[in-house]
Amino acid sequence: MEILLLGTGSADGWPNPFCRCASCRSAATRVRGQTAALVDDVLLLDCGPEAPRAAMRWQRSLSQVRHILFTHGHPDHVGPAALLMRHWTGAVEQLDVVGPPSALEQCRDWVGPDDPVRFVTVQAGERIRVGDYDVRVLAAAHGADIGGDAVLYDLESQDARIFWATDTGPLPEETYAAVTGAGYGAVFLEETFGTYTEHGTEHLDFPAFAATVGRLRDCGAVTDTTDVVAVHLSHHNPPESELTAVLSDSGARPGRDGEVVRVGAAAGRATRTLVLGGARSGKSAHAEALLAVEPAVTYLATGGVREGDPEWVERVRQHRSRRPRSWRTVETVDVAEELRSASDAVLLDCLGTWLTARMDRHHVWDGGDGMNAVSADIDELVSAWRACPAPVVAVSNEVGSGVVPPTASGRLFRDLLGVLNTQIAAASDEVVLMVAGRPLSLPAD
């Protein structure tokens, strides 16, 4: 099962577009939209007004969607205009629209009389089948203002099982009973209010989130291999590094918009992803998000330590602060053997500093005769990249769009890095170009 997080924010997102608090300012480079998810390209978990455009932003079509599961009728979770958008395409395949009455009542007027749409009203305690998915409808503690009919979903396919638990306060006892022994591959649990505990709403804050995860562990719904992902995040949470540290105490982590979570057979796929971008394009942060689902990651830092360079030290500190505590950092430029022997996922950051170090080692900057050695190093790295037995992500600078370097050494570096990027891309399953913080998936042909 593959779950694309279309959004991981609360109703007002994070940052709130009208707010200038410290939390919102810290989140300006990692915007979170309203929480929703796309499962296997065929099923939507919630579909608020931002969800269709979010799918486009993450390079996904909704043309194959056959099922929409709404949790409740709040406006950030129900965007009925999506049904009209689908109507305009002349779609002939049946669409299941599933949810409690508070959600479905908002949708019926957006469907044409001949549209192939089946409305399925559900309530907690029911079990239905939609397509290839077995759906258990679970009780939420949320939404007295809309009749108190909010629900959560236990979604199971042939090889994977997840729990979609947004929005809710502390879970009802009947829900704990229903999920006992589930052993979910992933749990997406709301965590709206962070450090603000006096909100008086049916949402979770840090203490309530930790207590909920603890109860889910006690009843066997969450195990040591469950990926617990916090969603529906708001600006009542602290900046990303502090949020990550607090959630890690519960064995959880914050979700990120555009992140793909793989569960079951999909989780076992060894994938190779190259993330390209210019300076400050968000390439490193995006690469880290791609591996956030992994229980353990080896971070291959190729930049090394630069004595007497405080600006570089600060850059390194900022990178380290974003990484989960479970990640292992290896500072090395001899990365080929690390790739070949990897048992955990690997993040290589970055190819540009790796190449610089190899050119230093072989004394090629001033016209030395080490070019053959550098070429051999590139061949060895590409071979190790192909052979890596674990998921691996590499970060590199996109050098093809800038001005021509004014020096011969600069032009040599540009040309060699372009060659390296091209070869790594050819051996990758995915290539992503970051532009102003936005990922663009590059097709193979």
Side-chain angles (χ1 to χ4, degrees), residues 129-146:
R129 184 79 180 178
V130 292
D132 295 329
Y133 305 92
D134 190 26
V135 180
R136 296 168 181 85
V137 187
L138 305 178
H142 187 66
D145 59 318
I146 55 169

Side-chain angles (χ1 to χ4, degrees), residues 11-101:
D12 53 346
W14 184 21
N16 180 312
F18 294 93
C19 183
R20 290 294 294 165
C21 72
S23 177
C24 284
R25 291 197 303 272
S26 75
T29 59
R30 180 169 282 162
V31 175
R32 287 176 163 89
Q34 296 167 349
T35 292
L38 177 63
V39 179
D40 296 330
D41 287 331
V42 300
L43 185 149
L44 280 168
L45 288 165
D46 284 320
C47 182
E50 295 180 353
R53 204 56 56 199
M56 296 293 96
R57 185 163 68 249
W58 305 119
Q59 307 291 309
R60 294 295 182 96
S61 169
L62 298 182
S63 63
Q64 300 302 311
V65 168
R66 300 292 177 263
H67 325 286
I68 302 176
L69 274 57
F70 290 114
T71 55
H72 62 293
H74 282 169
D76 55 317
H77 294 264
V78 180
L83 299 174
L84 184 59
M85 296 177 193
R86 187 176 189 268
H87 166 82
W88 285 332
T89 69
V92 297
E93 299 83 5
Q94 179 173 289
L95 175 69
D96 299 319
V97 180
V98 179

